[in-house]
Amino acid sequence: AFVVTDNCIQCKYTDCVEVCPVDCFYEGPNFLVINPDECIDCALCEPECPAEAIFEEDDIPAGMEHFIELNAELSEEWPNITEKKDPLPDAEEWDGKPNKLEHLER
Ligand code: SF4
Ligand code: F3S
């Protein structure tokens, strides 16, 4: 499955949800996740993310492996999102900042 990682946090551009053929994105206050059981590995979302936050599970950058479990967990709790909306207000400012996980809101 594909996985949303750290750089989505506090940005949440949501371009990714528009292209997903199986609508498997789920939305929290400042982060999106992919349901790994529903993702069909089409790879369409990966190039759409302006924050380059989406990776194939086997291609996750070192140190971000914990996002695999986090996507699985939070996609069971959060509501589905299928339409693009405005990014978070400070998205540009946060884009590229390291280690945003401590800012994750649930
Ligand atoms: Fe959806 Fe395809 Fe991305 Fe999986 S890889 S989340 S199916 S767009
Ligand atoms: Fe997040 Fe990128 Fe989608 S910032 S909401 S994974 S387009």
Side-chain angles (χ1 to χ4, degrees), residues 57-73:
E57 188 173 345
D58 296 330
D59 202 23
I60 290 213
M64 295 228 189
E65 298 84 356
H66 50 289
F67 279 93
I68 298 172
E69 188 54 40
L70 196 59
N71 276 240
E73 177 194 335

Side-chain angles (χ1 to χ4, degrees), residues 17-106:
V17 307
E18 288 275 293
V19 298
C20 182
V22 295
D23 293 343
C24 65
F25 281 89
Y26 294 80
E27 183 186 22
N30 63 353
F31 186 45
L32 248 60
V33 291
I34 292 168
N35 183 315
D37 296 328
E38 295 172 352
C39 175
I40 57 170
D41 292 326
C42 73
L44 288 176
C45 57
E46 186 178 10
E48 293 301 317
C49 176
E52 298 184 2
I54 304 177
F55 295 91
E56 207 281 318
E57 188 173 345
D58 296 330
D59 202 23
I60 290 213
M64 295 228 189
E65 298 84 356
H66 50 289
F67 279 93
I68 298 172
E69 188 54 40
L70 196 59
N71 276 240
E73 177 194 335
L74 295 175
S75 64
E76 297 290 340
E77 298 174 14
W78 286 347
N80 196 223
I81 172 172
T82 58
E83 284 178 24
K84 181 173 165 56
K85 56 165 77 169
D86 287 341
L88 290 174
D90 297 325
E92 273 183 52
E93 194 181 308
W94 281 95
D95 192 353
K97 288 215 168 113
N99 306 318
K100 295 194 267 182
L101 189 57
E102 61 180 298
H103 303 286
L104 177 70
E105 295 169 32
R106 293 175 178 240

